[in-house]
Amino acid sequence: MSKTYTRKKIFFLTISILLVMSLLVVRLAYLMIAKSEYYLQKAEALHERERSIKAKRGILYDRNGVELAGNKAVCSVSVIHSQITDEEAVIRALCSVLQMEEQAVRKKVEANTIREKIKSNVEKETADRLREMNLEGVMIDEDYKRYYPYDSLASKVIGFTGSDNQGIVGLEVYYDAVLQGTPGSILTMTDAYGRELENEAENRVEPVSGHNLKISIDVNIQKYAEQAAINVLKSKQAKRVSVVLMNPQNGEIYAMVNVPEYDLNQPYRLVRAEDLYRDKSGEPDNGSLTEQKKKDALNAMWRNFCISDSYEPGSTFKTVTATAALEEGVVSVNDTFSCPGFRIVEDRKIRCHKVSGHGTETFREGIMNSCNPVFMDVGARVGPERMYQNYRKLGLFERTGVDLPGEASSIMHKLEKVKAVELATMSFGQSIQITPMQLLRAASAIVNGGNLVTPHFAMCVTDEKGRKLHTYSFPVKEHAIEEHTSDVMRELLEAVVAEGSGSKGQVPGYRVGGKTATSEKLPRGNKKYISSFMGFAPADHPTVIGLILIDEPTGVYYGGTIAAPVMAEIFSNVLPYLGLEAEYSEEDLKKTSAVFFEDSVE
Amino acid sequence: MKKRRAKSKLLKKLFWRWNEEKQTDFFDYALLFLVLFLVAFGLVIVFSTSAYTGELRKHDPAYYLKRQGFFAVAGIMVMLFLSELDYHIWKKASKIIMIGTFILLVAVLLAGVASHGATRWLGVGSFQFQPSEVAKIVIILYTAHLATIKAIKLNNWKTMARVAAFPMVCIALIAKENLSTAIICSAIVMMIIFVTSPRIKEFIILAIVMIAVMAIFLAAASYRLERLYVWRHPENYEKGYQTLQALYAIGSGGIFGKGLGQSIQKLGFIPESHNDYIFSVICEELGLFGAVCVICIFLLLIWRCAMIALSAPDLFGALIVVGVITHIAVQVFVNIGVVTNTLPPTGVPLPFISYGGTALFMLLSEMGLVLSVARQLKLPKEY
């Protein structure tokens, strides 16, 4: 028998063990009661994987409620490994129906994971064919894909979306927050390797659809304008043609065309102007392009010239010079000037487009003739400081604020560097660069009574049921210029079309005002031009103002000859469409028959 | 009488003791039941924790269960066999098997099979085992035997050192590859000597010295200190991953747990959840209630062993049982302590429950020794 102290020590040992174990129980109780919630949350955050459910993207409507961008049901195909009974049959079916490489499909089918996605964005018909085969272990999920019913219409305005439902260019990105909605999610439990666990309750958060956006584009006006632009692009073999039509009173843009447009449903397919000349829409040979070159070409294709590029406006800018002169009171309509065909400014001889000169003429006639020496004189009278003040009043030093991404700003001389030569060239729209949108905005203020509007597309936001949630209003700078100046300018510009260089912009039955321009592109001497025409109607109270730019036309390149008639054609369609009644005068009626006669001769 | 029987009939009745008429008819069925319960429970939990990994790695959810089951059955048979043997035969045998174990430990250092980053296994063909697990039971027997012989003189440092000398050499060999097993073995040796010796003061000094040595040992190398930082703030260290995962499992168990088989942390989050961290899965699946029940079973087992030790027929028997108690108690404490982040992380399996063939087999053999001691209890007739 063991000694007493041994027994005592064994007893002591046992009690010690009991005490120490009690400590562990206390520790466990602390962890499992007091800290339970904390660790449970941490563990769940670790186990849960979020599978997101795409939200339905908001629809883009034109001003009359025509769908410009919507959603099309597509499907995604995935396989669930454990449910597959005949692997080979599944692989064969997937390969043939989805037209995929066998190796890639086999890898995914044979992967020992809970769920493997085979292909997304599968057309519904294709998916239905797969569904009819009734293959075990093949799952087909409905999904949405952005769809543009009018393909290329207003492509550079609308823009397109990426695979994650996010806007990439155009209105799609500018109003992404409105359109996108909130994606939903399915919370599933996974093991440490990310495999989803079966038989675990799914925690589902429903997606919230994006809101619908109504924009000021009118599909019909856009179509007219686009057709007219394509016609002139083809006939003049031009590099590109841009047309913007806007309501000068409030800045709503009716149409913005930049041909060649690209197919919004296939935004990564290159479209070139040459293809349009021949009405060819075959596959362009992308293969010959390097990756970087293709990227650049795509970026150029997506670019909206009207807002993202600046150019020398040329003679259309004379409206700005005239406005400045009238604002400053340095000229009156009947002041006389003389044009010998050039003007010597400091050491330079700056020519008028009419080499023989316009002779003695009034200011009014100077505008009608688009006479450079007249504007050089007028510009000199205004002087650099006051000229810049007026530029500023007309918003030429700021972006227009149009609701599209990527707007460029103007390129101007520094005021202290504006000497006589610079001032003279600026006066007829050279040596400075502005965007077409800036010109149109300034012109709107000049003809609408003096209010500087913000050009824009967005009109209102509606929810899925069509209820109006928000109406956009864009800032207007009232009385940017004197109303009287605007009245005079309207009258002068109407005269340009009625009797002057813009005569080809006449539309029978309507009072049209406007100004033509032919600007030689930089660098000079390459014989590359931008022919343009800015027109508005009705001249007494304009509700439409338009700008057309023909980039690098071949053959005749005078704006008055090639650009003005296109705008006239567009106006002749758009003005009645907008509910403006034609009022034919006797003269108009005669002219109309003459025009028809001429047409038939051609 | 007992002495004479042991001497005269040792050889003759070596393996057939149960035929002897003088034996008591006592068999500690309560202890046997506790052990069998723990083993069965262990198998259930091993299956629960390893089914997913087994399916993933070996395409057989029962792969780990089958292996563990084999060792459990073999271990139980050996336990029952040992319980029928007179434990006194180990007095003589202890020195020889101690030397054998020493050779094995040297062999494992020279020609061991590495696994999990440490060389602890010795392989003969397809059969592998851990000599350090064998060493535990051998050290118990050897130290108990030596302490019994020197019991009267065990009141001075010199004798204590002589008793501890050979086991400590073996422990040093173990410490090379497996520090935690070495600590457990040291605890066994210390506890056996402590119980035998009439002195207390020396042991208090010894405990203080050992704590001091431990502190210096830890502070001496920065990588050991890092282990302490990881222990205090597991969330800030990559090495704290396992501890953190175990805490997630324990915490998310709550009071009644998620239900048997419902652990998510075992699905790859806790690496080797059927090994050292098996207790965290018990917590997650069975909750605080289940965890406390498991601790209580261990306490019952220890209490039952303590009763046997207190009424053992001789000092040798009592010391064997004390060794086994120490072994189980330290391992349970360190394992649960590590899993709950009460102690710095170190790899110690939970007795009877953690996956591991050699460990289970050896533990069952130890229980066989305890049952063998219990067989010779002097009990009043009515008990």
Side-chain angles (χ1 to χ4, degrees):
Chain A
M1 193 56 204
S2 40
K3 298 254 182 349
T4 321
Y5 57 79
T6 303
R7 295 169 64 95
K8 273 184 185 163
K9 281 183 171 179
I10 291 172
F11 187 70
F12 168 77
L13 171 67
T14 314
I15 296 299
S16 308
I17 290 169
L18 188 73
L19 287 174
V20 166
M21 293 293 180
S22 313
L23 281 178
L24 285 183
V25 171
V26 171
R27 170 75 179 161
L28 272 175
Y30 167 72
L31 287 177
M32 299 173 82
I33 296 172
K35 299 278 270 185
S36 177
E37 194 66 22
Y38 170 78
Y39 284 121
L40 188 65
Q41 273 174 13
K42 286 219 166 191
E44 270 177 5
L46 187 72
H47 303 153
E48 279 173 356
R49 286 288 185 287
E50 216 178 70
R51 195 141 51 88
S52 78
I53 317 170
K54 260 193 199 175
K56 205 169 160 185
R57 196 171 168 86
I59 297 166
L60 214 56
Y61 292 112
D62 90 334
R63 62 187 306 119
N64 302 313
V66 180
E67 196 174 300
L68 293 173
N71 302 301
K72 196 166 106 180
V74 289
C75 299
S76 65
V77 179
S78 35
V79 288
I80 294 175
H81 185 76
S82 55
Q83 291 175 11
I84 296 176
T85 44
D86 186 351
E87 264 185 27
E88 291 306 315
V90 167
I91 293 170
R92 249 181 290 127
L94 290 176
C95 284
S96 69
V97 177
L98 301 175
Q99 290 167 347
M100 288 173 74
E101 293 274 327
E102 196 202 314
Q103 220 177 344
V105 175
R106 181 175 295 278
K107 202 175 157 196
K108 287 179 175 177
V109 170
E110 287 176 354
N112 188 11
T113 48
I114 297 287
R115 192 193 183 96
E116 191 80 19
K117 192 174 242 178
I118 303 285
K119 197 176 182 185
S120 49
N121 281 346
V122 178
E123 293 291 324
K124 207 165 170 4
E125 300 87 70
T126 315
D128 283 342
R129 262 176 42 222
L130 209 55
R131 200 173 274 149
E132 278 161 25
M133 292 175 159
N134 243 337
L135 295 161
E136 280 184 50
V138 176
M139 287 275 292
I140 295 163
D141 291 318
E142 301 272 322
D143 200 354
Y144 295 109
K145 190 192 170 194
R146 200 64 163 162
Y147 176 67
Y148 303 92
Y150 290 94
D151 295 324
S152 66
L153 194 77
S155 60
K156 302 187 187 191
V157 174
I158 296 170
F160 57 93
T161 61
S163 57
D164 286 336
N165 211 15
Q166 85 283 26
I168 291 185
V169 290
L171 290 170
E172 290 276 30
V173 63
Y174 197 89
Y175 289 106
D176 209 23
V178 173
L179 296 167
Q180 197 168 40
T182 317
S185 58
I186 304 175
L187 287 178
T188 48
M189 302 293 266
T190 65
D191 70 4
Y193 317 104
R195 294 184 187 88
E196 279 176 26
L197 302 178
E198 288 168 288
N199 309 325
E200 286 287 341
E202 280 186 343
N203 201 347
R204 198 181 160 97
V205 180
E206 288 300 328
V208 181
S209 298
H211 294 312
N212 301 332
L213 181 68
K214 192 178 200 169
I215 59 172
S216 59
I217 292 248
D218 185 305
V219 164
N220 292 315
I221 299 178
Q222 178 80 23
K223 274 192 202 161
Y224 292 146
E226 185 179 319
Q227 198 48 54
I230 289 173
N231 289 344
V232 73
L233 179 94
K234 283 186 200 167
S235 65
K236 298 309 295 177
Q237 303 269 295
K239 190 178 145 199
R240 104 186 118 186
V241 177
S242 295
V243 178
V244 188
L245 290 175
M246 187 170 99
N247 183 340
Q249 305 295 338
N250 58 16
E252 284 176 7
I253 296 168
Y254 292 128
M256 186 181 272
V257 176
N258 290 277
V259 285
E261 303 268 5
Y262 62 93
D263 187 352
L264 288 171
N265 291 315
Q266 291 170 291
Y268 292 91
R269 212 189 72 178
L270 276 177
V271 175
R272 288 170 301 184
E274 300 93 76
D275 299 334
L276 279 174
Y277 304 160
R278 295 184 295 267
D279 270 329
K280 197 186 91 176
S281 56
E283 280 296 316
D285 51 339
N286 286 347
S288 63
L289 292 174
T290 63
E291 205 54 34
Q292 187 56 43
K293 270 196 180 148
K294 188 179 176 192
K295 227 174 172 180
D296 293 344
L298 284 174
N299 277 321
M301 183 178 87
W302 298 332
R303 200 174 170 89
N304 188 339
F305 178 75
C306 298
I307 60 149
S308 303
D309 287 295
S310 56
Y311 78 120
E312 279 189 316
S315 300
T316 45
F317 198 71
K318 286 170 182 161
T319 53
V320 172
T321 310
T323 304
L326 291 170
E327 277 285 284
E328 301 301 331
V330 296
V331 77
S332 73
V333 176
N334 295 316
D335 284 0
T336 52
F337 298 84
S338 82
C339 166
F342 61 87
R343 191 68 93 231
I344 306 276
V345 182
E346 291 187 339
D347 57 339
R348 281 197 221 178
K349 185 176 177 181
I350 302 174
R351 291 182 186 284
C352 185
H353 59 90
K354 192 176 179 185
V355 183
S356 58
H358 292 99
T360 306
E361 55 191 339
T362 61
F363 180 56
R364 179 188 166 90
E365 285 164 336
I367 294 186
M368 282 159 62
N369 296 331
S370 195
C371 177
N372 289 350
V374 171
F375 280 90
M376 288 187 246
D377 291 356
V378 168
R381 286 190 201 176
V382 176
E385 286 85 10
R386 285 192 291 178
M387 189 64 91
Y388 269 41
Q389 271 169 29
N390 282 282
Y391 285 0
R392 191 159 282 117
K393 284 198 277 187
L394 291 170
L396 294 173
F397 283 107
E398 63 191 28
R399 292 188 174 89
T400 64
V402 68
D403 45 355
L404 277 178
E407 197 185 353
S409 44
S410 53
I411 304 167
M412 298 280 188
H413 298 290
K414 276 193 177 144
L415 180 57
E416 57 271 23
K417 296 222 170 125
V418 178
K419 298 287 178 287
V421 175
E422 284 78 19
L423 186 60
T425 51
M426 276 161 55
S427 300
F428 55 90
Q430 286 188 5
S431 81
I432 55 151
Q433 291 194 21
I434 58 173
T435 66
M437 201 72 244
Q438 279 178 314
L439 178 66
L440 202 60
R441 185 187 182 212
S444 293
I446 291 168
V447 301
N448 72 5
N451 303 324
L452 193 62
V453 296
T454 306
H456 62 268
F457 292 97
M459 293 178 79
C460 62
V461 175
T462 58
D463 68 7
E464 259 184 306
K465 291 178 185 127
R467 280 179 304 217
K468 203 174 272 188
L469 298 175
H470 175 68
T471 305
Y472 288 95
S473 67
F474 290 84
V476 178
K477 251 180 238 159
E478 306 241 351
H479 308 299
I481 59 166
E482 295 291 326
E483 195 168 348
H484 176 70
T485 311
S486 178
D487 294 343
V488 174
M489 283 307 297
R490 273 204 304 276
E491 194 271 319
L492 288 172
L493 292 171
E494 190 181 0
V496 171
V497 174
E499 308 157 45
S501 58
S503 62
K504 292 250 166 103
Q506 289 166 17
V507 181
Y510 293 95
R511 291 170 65 187
V512 176
K515 184 75 196 75
T516 64
T518 309
S519 17
E520 191 177 4
K521 285 174 85 173
L522 296 168
R524 309 229 189 270
N526 284 346
K527 299 240 178 281
K528 284 183 175 171
Y529 299 90
I530 294 179
S531 305
S532 58
F533 178 75
M534 184 276 292
F536 58 95
D540 52 342
H541 181 79
T543 49
V544 184
I545 187 165
L547 178 66
I548 175 165
L549 299 117
I550 304 170
D551 192 7
E552 296 183 18
T554 50
V556 180
Y557 53 82
Y558 296 114
T561 317
I562 63 166
V566 180
M567 190 54 80
E569 187 200 327
I570 294 169
F571 275 174
S572 66
N573 278 314
V574 168
L575 296 176
Y577 176 81
L578 286 173
L580 296 162
E581 299 261 338
E583 287 167 29
Y584 296 104
S585 60
E586 295 264 316
E587 213 181 321
D588 279 335
L589 289 170
K590 260 188 272 166
K591 267 188 195 160
T592 314
S593 56
V595 168
F596 281 135
F597 179 70
E598 275 173 28
D599 279 354
S600 58
V601 166
E602 278 181 44
Chain B
M1 183 189 87
K2 180 190 74 213
K3 241 184 184 176
R4 197 195 66 216
R5 185 187 62 200
K7 272 183 182 168
S8 62
K9 297 179 181 169
L10 180 65
L11 290 171
K12 196 169 139 196
K13 304 281 182 185
L14 191 61
F15 299 109
W16 306 108
R17 234 194 106 248
W18 48 83
N19 290 334
E20 192 180 337
E21 51 214 78
K22 275 178 183 171
Q23 80 173 86
T24 54
D25 282 334
F26 181 75
F27 190 89
D28 196 340
Y29 286 104
L31 183 62
L32 180 71
F33 172 77
L34 285 171
V35 171
L36 291 181
F37 178 86
L38 275 173
V39 171
F41 178 78
L43 288 175
V44 171
I45 298 295
V46 162
F47 180 61
S48 170
T49 50
S50 69
Y52 199 74
T53 325
E55 171 67 50
L56 224 63
R57 288 198 198 149
K58 312 279 183 187
H59 300 287
D60 177 10
Y63 175 81
Y64 294 99
L65 174 70
K66 284 175 188 164
R67 284 177 64 96
Q68 184 79 342
F70 168 76
F71 280 105
V73 171
I76 288 167
M77 281 163 64
V78 169
M79 172 177 75
L80 291 175
F81 174 71
L82 288 177
S83 73
E84 291 301 327
L85 275 186
D86 182 355
Y87 63 89
H88 293 94
I89 63 162
W90 302 111
K91 275 194 153 184
K92 287 257 167 69
S94 65
K95 192 161 188 177
I96 299 151
I97 56 174
M98 188 70 181
I99 291 165
T101 306
F102 176 75
I103 292 165
L104 282 177
L105 286 170
V106 174
V108 83
L109 279 181
L110 296 176
V113 181
S115 166
H116 300 75
T119 315
R120 295 173 187 174
W121 278 261
L122 206 58
V124 182
S126 65
F127 179 73
Q128 286 189 355
F129 77 108
Q130 273 182 283
S132 57
E133 289 297 331
V134 181
K136 287 174 189 167
I137 189 170
V138 176
I139 284 172
I140 291 172
L141 287 173
Y142 179 81
T143 317
H145 169 59
L146 215 60
T148 312
I149 296 170
K150 312 260 181 188
I152 305 142
K153 295 178 208 156
L154 258 180
N155 53 5
N156 58 66
W157 290 110
K158 200 180 155 197
T159 323
M160 281 192 242
R162 279 181 65 182
V163 171
F166 192 24
M168 281 301 171
V169 171
C170 289
I171 288 165
L173 289 176
I174 296 167
K176 176 87 173 33
E177 284 295 339
N178 193 342
L179 188 63
S180 43
T181 302
I183 291 171
I184 291 164
C185 291
S186 317
I188 291 169
V189 174
M190 292 268 295
M191 203 49 77
I192 289 173
I193 297 173
F194 168 71
V195 166
T196 321
S197 164
R199 309 302 287 255
I200 292 176
K201 201 175 74 190
E202 280 82 352
F203 289 93
I204 295 169
I205 294 166
L206 199 62
I208 293 167
V209 168
M210 281 191 76
I211 288 167
V213 167
M214 203 68 182
I216 294 162
F217 177 74
L218 281 172
S222 59
Y223 69 88
R224 293 195 195 102
L225 265 182
E226 192 199 351
R227 208 181 248 221
L228 289 184
Y229 297 138
V230 174
W231 170 45
R232 288 330 306 162
H233 301 285
E235 62 275 6
N236 298 346
Y237 295 86
E238 205 180 315
K239 284 179 182 170
Y241 175 78
Q242 212 164 3
T243 309
L244 208 58
Q245 294 301 332
L247 286 175
Y248 288 174
I250 295 167
S252 55
I255 294 177
F256 292 105
K258 291 180 176 169
L260 192 61
Q262 299 300 306
S263 162
I264 292 179
Q265 285 295 92
K266 69 187 181 190
L267 306 178
F269 291 102
I270 302 172
E272 305 279 321
S273 57
H274 51 282
N275 276 356
D276 299 345
Y277 281 80
I278 199 164
F279 189 75
S280 62
V281 178
I282 295 176
C283 289
E284 189 184 357
E285 295 194 345
L286 304 179
L288 179 63
F289 179 77
V292 171
C293 281
V294 171
I295 293 176
C296 285
I297 305 258
F298 277 116
L299 282 176
L300 273 177
L301 183 85
I302 287 163
W303 173 78
R304 196 70 204 170
C305 291
M307 289 305 116
I308 293 168
L310 287 174
S311 43
D314 56 7
L315 185 61
F316 180 57
L319 291 182
I320 288 174
V321 180
V322 165
V324 174
I325 289 173
T326 310
H327 176 197
I328 292 171
V330 170
Q331 247 177 259
V332 169
F333 173 71
V334 172
N335 178 277
I336 297 177
V338 166
V339 169
T340 55
N341 203 30
T342 318
L343 299 174
T346 180
V348 173
L350 189 62
F352 302 111
I353 295 176
S354 282
Y355 176 79
T358 319
L360 180 63
F361 184 86
M362 285 304 154
L363 268 164
L364 286 171
S365 306
E366 286 176 31
M367 292 321 294
L369 292 178
V370 175
L371 286 170
S372 164
V373 176
R375 204 97 168 87
Q376 297 187 21
L377 288 190
K378 288 178 177 168
L379 295 158
K381 285 260 191 241
E382 62 269 23
Y383 184 82

